[in-house]
Amino acid sequence: MEESQATESRNGGGDSNGHSLVGNCREWLWSALERLRCTGVGFTGELAKIARDDPRRVVYSLKVGLALTVVSVFYYITALFDGWGSSTIWAVITVVFVMEFTVGATLCKGLHRVLATLVAGFLAVGAHLAAQLCGEKGEPILLGAFVFLVGIHGHTYAIQRLDSATSAATFSRFIPEVKATYDYGVLIFILTFTMVAVSSYRVEDLIEFAHQRFTTIAVGVAISLITTICVFPIWAGDDLHKLAAGNLDKLAEFLEGMEYECFRENSTCGNLEGKAFLQVYKSVLNSKVREDSLCPFAKWEPIHGQFRFRYPWSQYQELGTLSRKCASSMEALAFCVMTLQTSQYPEASLDLCLKIRATCKAMSLHSAKALRELSLAIPTMTMPYPTNNDMSMATKAASDLRTELSKDVTLMQVSHVAVVASLLSDILIQIERITESTSNLARLARFKNSERARSAVVINIED
C-alpha cells in the first residue's frame, strides 16, 4: 500500500511539472506575440510619422516601385531577354541604385554611372587586346596586373588625368573633392573595369558582352530619369530655395521673440525655459549638411519653373554660411539672456539698464523687419524692398548704445546687459552682410519687381 501511494505521488508530481512547463511555454509565447505586436505598431507609427512630415517620400516610394515594374518588363519579354541575355538584370540593378529622391541626384548618379561604365568598358577591352599579345600563358597574368593597378593607391596627380585613371581609381576616393562629387562614378568604374577585364578571359565575344552591359545600364538610367522627371518631380533646387528663405524667417522669429519677451517696457525676462523663439536658430545651425547636399544636385537639374539655365546656386551656400554665423551669435545671445534673468543689479544701474533695454528693443525690432523683408523676397523671386530705413535705424540705435556705454561709469555693474547689447550689435553686422548677399542673389538670378507676386505670398502667409 505504501508503494502504491508513492507511485501515485510520483505520477501526481509528474503531472504538476508537465502543467507548469506548458504554462511557461504559453506565457513565453504570449509575451513574444505581444512584443511582436508592439514592434509592428511602433514601426507602422514611425512610417506614418515619416509620411506626415514629408508626403513626397510616399510619392518617391511609389515612383521607385513604378520604375522597377517598368524595367522588369524588359526581363520578361523574350525578344529583349534573348538579345541581352542575363545582362538584362543590370537594368533592374541600375534602377535600384540610381533612383534618388530629387531629380538632380538621380541625374547626377545616372550620368556618372553611364560615363563610368562607358570609359571602363573601353579601357577593359583595350586591356584585353593588350593581354592577348602576351599569348595564352601571359594573358591572365597581364589581366591580373591591370586589375591590380585599378585597385592600388596611385599618385594623386594621376587621377586628374583621364588617360591615367586606371592607375589610381581607388586612391581617388580618399580625395575630398573627388569623394564629394565623383565617388559613385569612381566606384562604378572600378566595378565595370574589373568585371569586363576578368570576364574577357572566359567570354568569347568580349565586345558583345561589354555592349550588353552598357546598353542595359543605359536603359535602366533612362527609365529612372523619365520616371523621376515626368511623375511628380521633386527638385533639389526648390528645396534649396525654400531652405534659404526658411532660415531667414527663423532668424527673424528669434529677434521678434527677443523684442517681445525681453526688451519691451513691461517685460521682465521671466521664465524663458521652453520658449520656442530661443530654439529656432538651432535648425539654422544644423542646415549645412542639407544645404551642401542640395546645392550640387541643383546644379545638375535642367531648366524648371523660374530657375533658368546657369542659375547662381552657389550664392545660396554663401547666404547659408552668413545665416549660420548669425545663428551662432544668436546662440550666444540666448545663453546670455538666460543668465541675465537670474542676475540682480544695484539701483544705481537701473537707469542704464532701461536705456540699454530700449536700445536693444529698437535693434531687435528693425533687424527682424529687415530679415522678414529678405525672406519674403526669396520665395517670390522679386527684388527685395529697400531695407536701408530699418537697417539705418538699427545701426543708429547701436551707435547710441556704444556712446552711452562709453561714458557711463556704472558699466561694470551691468556687465551682463552690456554683453547682450554687444551681441546684438554683432548680429546687426551679420544681418547687413546677409542683406548684401541676398541682394547679390536677386541681381544674379534676375529677380523681378512684382507687386502682385509679393501681395499673393503675403495673403497666403496670413491665411
Side-chain angles (χ1 to χ4, degrees), residues 359 363 391-401 428:
T359 306
M363 293 168 62
M391 295 306 298
S392 62
M393 294 180 70
T395 303
K396 182 179 182 302
S399 178
D400 294 342
L401 177 63
L428 179 60

Side-chain angles (χ1 to χ4, degrees), residues 159-185:
I159 57 94
Q160 299 175 4
R161 299 174 54 89
L162 181 62
D163 56 356
S164 302
T166 57
S167 65
T170 300
F171 186 80
S172 66
R173 300 183 67 200
F174 291 98
I175 300 176
E177 292 80 4
V178 175
K179 186 172 182 62
T181 309
Y182 306 108
D183 184 67
Y184 181 73

